[in-house]
Amino acid sequence: MKKEESKISKIKDRVAKLLEKDVSVFIAYERMPFELKDRLTIISSPKEVDKISVSPFMVGSPARMLLEIGGIDDGKIGIIARACDTRAIKQLIKEGKIKRERVYIMGITCGGMVNTRKLRSPRFENGRLYDHDREVHMKDVLYDTCSRCEDPLPVLYDEVFDVFDVFEGVSKADESTEEIEGDREKRWSYWMGEMEKCIRCYACRSACPMCYCTECLVDPINLAVSPFTSAEEKASYPRFLGKTISAEDNLFYHIIRVLHHAGRCADCGECERACPMDIPIRELERKMREVVRDVFGYDDDEIPFLAKLDMIPEGR
Amino acid sequence: MDFEPKILVFACNWCSYAGADLAGTSRLQYAPNVRIVRVMCSGMVNPALILHAFRMGFDGVVVAGCHPGDCHYNVGNYYAKKRIVLLRELLEFVGFESERLKLLWASASEGKKFAEEMNEFTEKIRELGPQEKFRRCQK
Amino acid sequence: MFVYEGEFIKTLAEKLISEDYRVYVPDSRSFIEYEKAKDIPKGKTRKSIKEFLLPQNEVLIRYGKWIEEVPLDREKRALIGVNPCDAKAVTLLDKIYLEGLMDPYYQTRRENTLIVSRNCEPNNYCFCESFGLTPFSTEGSDIFLIEKGERTYIIPVTSRGEKILSSIDGLMNTDVDESSIIVQHNFSRKVNPDIQDELRKKFDDEMWKRISLNCISCGTCTFLCPTCFCFDMLDEGEKEGFRYRAWDSCQFPLYTLESSSHNPRREKWQRLRNRFYDKFLYTVESKGEIFCVGCGRCIEFCPGGIDITEILAEVEK
């Protein structure tokens, strides 16, 4: 544990140094006062670096925060990013939402985040995780995203800190979607059972770094209007989905949302983590990734997937 | 009781709608279950529109566009193909019969082909039966 | 007080079913029908019981050739295993929907719902004690159950509860002292409920912008909260369809969007601030009650890490 502590203090020193002249603000995590969770915070002066916390309990996507504060300063924004966050940032740069020169990416290696919902009263001491008084192996309580992470190394960075070890047993090769066994009826009743639970709180959409549209297709609660929008324009906004809560309508919402992420999803798992009803949203996203990779043969190009115009093999 | 399927066709203005028109003027009979909606290009068909059609109770949806390379707007039909493939894969994954969604290339001179494809599709949907999964039951 | 040896919930559920009640018991997420339940876990459900009194979708009228009024929902329901915080929340909802302009839909459901609460096991997120509640509070329930080992102590709270209990066999009177069965719980979170004056002073403080950094403007806190009650009215269908009301959240960006396109709470911090003021100041001024029961669901399930106890402590500083 001493090794990790000294690494974290190195990170803090580095952030303090960067804040002196290279970057104007830094996005990092701080420990919540009453809970074993690290949430996002913005550090704007070297005096505040002590509150930075780097641990297996970080929640929230810094890439999303980057989009939110992107317009604040003229200066650079520093960001602590795990592998999935760097994938999100790379995709956002590809789509033109962030300029590469404006971001200073401090990548960190990641061993996975702990799903504290699986524990009743967690404690973390000396690098070991306890629930009440019983020790728990961290790799048993990781988020599903993390235990099936495809690549735990940052893909885009200005510098990298090696903080966590990747657990063995975290399968890199198991990239296939767990197709729910069985025929269509079984799959349909599985998904209907899951969709019955959905309360359409839109936490999945709000937590996703890729869902940045000010005007969301399936939900007219996010419309970009101004006092100059004419009445005709407002009246003609398409309304595909109201606020009806039924399993079919919830599935409609999720399918359309996932379709918009084809080739773009960073596999960060924020959607599933944010869901209060524990719906396996990422299964759909993973299927999308699999289709994009296997059927279309797309593999991380300069051109975003949805803009690429290839013919795909016939017979599909 | 005989089940008559309801089929919705999004036909692109320049090629497939003209093809359907040609089928009509040539007096070629094809299934009356088909309802055609003219769109300017097959690339404007939103997957949400297709799912909405299933929610309204349609048993089958066809998106008909120009042959690859012939699109009036150059590349619209490529986008359509990509979207329909993605949507079909996802629908199959959740257990919905993805055969109910079809993508068809038909040019303005292929009136006969249009009629034949429509007949074939209608028969296929008739065998599959009524679409119950996405259909909206009023609460 | 009565005492019953053995599994009372089963006996009660069967009795209620025989009297044409539809019985619901908790599973970990929400309340499900008794017949489908496998076991009944202790602790809070994720969704509160407000969905039985104020459903997430409620169809009000149907229209087609004529306008057809939808009949009121008179189904008799019994909710067994409710937490004391949720039961207290029902009395708060009553103040909104039954006082002043009475809501007939809510009232019919309320009259036909039997609430059987049970002592709960608080977790680290609970802070009901700050509002005068305990894991053994009976406010809002019809019957209160205290499960202790092999036996269940039963307290009839309302006359309706008494009537139901009078027809069950196997109940024995007992004059056991309540204080001997009640177990104190040490709550780690605390909130000072008398912060109305502080809130009045701090409306224009810069703290709201700083505090709302983590909020992602989803609707999780409001949808899981047992006392939140805002709704939206929508119509579906053109030539024929229905008008329904659905839960709405003050955290959604378009909650206050006016038809002129002006949005007085366009920014996230304005919406977050409004939630606190509504629950801890405005309802105190209009109804005399704080609209929070300390269940802690908003803290437990907030994806961004907003903590209501932390923010209220900050208000007091």
Side-chain angles (χ1 to χ4, degrees), chain C residues 296-314:
Chain C
R297 288 181 178 99
C298 54
I299 312 173
E300 191 174 351
F301 296 105
C302 174
I306 299 277
D307 186 339
I308 175 174
T309 50
E310 189 192 342
I311 295 182
L312 288 174
E314 173 103 17

Side-chain angles (χ1 to χ4, degrees), chain C residues 151-289:
Chain C
R151 56 167 70 130
T152 313
Y153 292 94
I154 301 145
I155 306 174
V157 183
T158 61
S159 52
R160 194 148 151 223
E162 263 176 40
K163 198 156 153 285
I164 301 277
L165 290 175
S166 62
S167 56
I168 299 187
D169 303 318
L171 295 176
M172 288 177 301
N173 266 309
T174 171
D175 46 3
V176 131
D177 194 15
E178 264 192 44
S179 54
S180 65
I181 17 177
I182 285 182
V183 174
Q184 293 283 24
H185 180 90
N186 208 1
F187 288 94
S188 51
R189 282 175 204 267
K190 293 198 195 320
V191 153
N192 175 9
D194 295 319
I195 42 163
Q196 282 75 38
D197 286 325
E198 284 298 317
L199 281 174
R200 282 191 193 102
K201 286 188 234 155
K202 289 255 172 87
F203 190 78
D204 289 313
D205 199 286
E206 59 77 40
M207 68 173 259
W208 299 108
K209 289 193 182 136
R210 184 176 26 103
I211 283 210
S212 64
L213 183 72
N214 296 96
C215 174
I216 60 174
S217 284
C218 61
T220 303
C221 52
T222 48
F223 283 6
L224 297 181
C225 174
T227 56
C228 273
F229 54 82
C230 291
F231 59 85
D232 194 9
M233 287 279 220
L234 295 130
D235 294 333
E236 293 244 339
E238 282 152 39
K239 275 214 215 129
E240 57 176 37
F242 52 93
R243 167 167 293 182
Y244 64 103
R245 68 176 172 189
W247 288 355
D248 202 3
S249 170
C250 54
Q251 305 301 301
F252 287 150
L254 290 195
Y255 181 71
T256 44
L257 183 69
E258 298 163 8
S259 58
S260 63
S261 305
H262 172 59
N263 192 347
R265 291 197 204 116
R266 218 170 54 137
E267 305 295 323
K268 202 169 58 167
W269 58 271
Q270 293 168 319
R271 296 192 290 266
L272 190 67
R273 177 181 65 181
N274 171 264
R275 184 150 197 267
F276 284 92
Y277 276 73
D278 204 20
K279 285 188 170 295
F280 292 93
L281 179 60
Y282 303 154
T283 48
V284 174
E285 287 174 349
S286 65
K287 300 279 178 188
E289 293 272 3

Side-chain angles (χ1 to χ4, degrees), chain B residues 52 55 136-139, chain C residues 57 59 62 236 241-242:
Chain B
H52 189 67
R55 263 203 321 170
R136 217 357 148 49
C137 0
Q138 289 240 348
K139 279 194 294 234
Chain C
N57 278 158
V59 176
R62 289 188 202 280
E236 293 244 339
F242 52 93

Side-chain angles (χ1 to χ4, degrees), chain C residues 13-202:
Chain C
E14 281 164 10
K15 176 74 186 151
L16 288 169
I17 291 175
S18 73
E19 290 194 8
D20 293 326
Y21 275 87
R22 233 164 137 191
V23 179
Y24 293 89
V25 288
D27 79 358
S28 59
R29 285 193 182 87
S30 66
F31 278 72
I32 56 171
E33 293 181 36
Y34 176 73
E35 292 83 6
K36 297 189 188 140
K38 290 188 204 78
D39 59 34
I40 302 176
K42 277 233 172 198
K44 283 196 300 264
T45 52
R46 294 192 188 194
K47 280 163 79 167
S48 63
I49 59 165
K50 78 176 173 183
E51 59 173 324
F52 292 98
L53 298 169
L54 187 61
Q56 193 162 8
N57 278 158
E58 189 163 15
V59 176
L60 301 173
I61 56 171
R62 289 188 202 280
Y63 52 87
K65 289 222 175 90
W66 324 103
I67 291 190
E68 178 199 317
E69 279 204 32
V70 172
L72 295 170
D73 181 6
R74 292 184 199 284
E75 177 155 30
K76 293 205 288 191
R77 293 188 179 91
L79 309 170
I80 306 186
V82 176
N83 282 24
C85 48
D86 283 351
K88 164 82 194 226
V90 171
T91 63
L92 294 176
L93 287 177
D94 286 345
K95 284 199 172 11
I96 297 289
Y97 283 101
L98 297 180
E99 284 178 17
L101 189 64
M102 192 203 58
D103 184 317
Y105 307 97
Y106 181 89
Q107 199 211 24
T108 328
R109 280 179 207 267
R110 182 77 173 94
E111 277 168 1
N112 289 311
T113 305
L114 185 76
I115 298 179
V116 180
S117 314
R118 168 176 80 156
N119 63 313
C120 70
E121 266 170 33
N123 63 15
N124 291 332
Y125 298 100
C126 294
F127 54 101
C128 61
E129 184 191 54
S130 310
F131 301 108
L133 294 167
T134 70
F136 294 83
S137 293
T138 58
E139 202 175 338
S141 328
D142 290 306
I143 302 175
F144 195 88
L145 308 176
I146 302 178
E147 282 167 351
K148 213 143 172 83
E150 289 297 320
R151 56 167 70 130
T152 313
Y153 292 94
I154 301 145
I155 306 174
V157 183
T158 61
S159 52
R160 194 148 151 223
E162 263 176 40
K163 198 156 153 285
I164 301 277
L165 290 175
S166 62
S167 56
I168 299 187
D169 303 318
L171 295 176
M172 288 177 301
N173 266 309
T174 171
D175 46 3
V176 131
D177 194 15
E178 264 192 44
S179 54
S180 65
I181 17 177
I182 285 182
V183 174
Q184 293 283 24
H185 180 90
N186 208 1
F187 288 94
S188 51
R189 282 175 204 267
K190 293 198 195 320
V191 153
N192 175 9
D194 295 319
I195 42 163
Q196 282 75 38
D197 286 325
E198 284 298 317
L199 281 174
R200 282 191 193 102
K201 286 188 234 155
K202 289 255 172 87

Side-chain angles (χ1 to χ4, degrees), chain B:
Chain B
M1 197 188 60
D2 275 332
F3 156 62
E4 281 300 331
K6 289 215 252 305
I7 317 270
L8 182 67
V9 178
F10 290 101
C12 91
N13 176 55
W14 306 99
C15 290
S16 36
Y17 191 77
D21 212 20
L22 182 60
T25 51
S26 319
R27 308 285 184 252
L28 293 168
Q29 295 274 10
Y30 63 91
N33 315 58
V34 165
R35 284 103 160 135
I36 303 183
V37 171
R38 182 176 67 124
V39 297
M40 292 315 285
C41 178
S42 53
M44 71 77 77
V45 178
N46 198 333
L49 275 175
I50 299 176
L51 285 184
H52 189 67
F54 283 125
R55 263 203 321 170
M56 287 171 72
F58 280 100
D59 303 299
V61 172
V62 179
V63 177
C66 310
H67 282 280
D70 290 349
C71 180
H72 185 84
Y73 303 101
N74 294 332
V75 290
N77 50 356
Y78 288 79
Y79 285 121
K81 173 110 194 190
K82 182 180 282 181
R83 282 189 204 125
I84 302 293
V85 169
L86 285 172
L87 184 58
R88 281 183 61 135
E89 293 283 338
L90 210 50
L91 286 175
E92 185 63 47
F93 182 63
V94 297
F96 183 82
E97 298 98 11
S98 61
E99 296 93 51
R100 295 187 186 270
L101 175 60
K102 183 186 168 73
L103 183 63
L104 172 65
W105 302 139
S107 78
S109 58
E110 288 175 335
K112 190 150 174 287
K113 177 179 170 195
F114 188 88
E116 278 166 9
E117 294 277 357
M118 288 299 122
N119 282 334
E120 201 186 304
F121 190 64
T122 312
E123 279 319 303
K124 199 163 76 166
I125 300 294
R126 186 169 291 153
E127 272 167 50
L128 272 177
Q131 188 258 121
E132 297 289 319
K133 290 182 172 165
F134 263 115
R135 181 196 296 259
R136 217 357 148 49
C137 0
Q138 289 240 348
K139 279 194 294 234

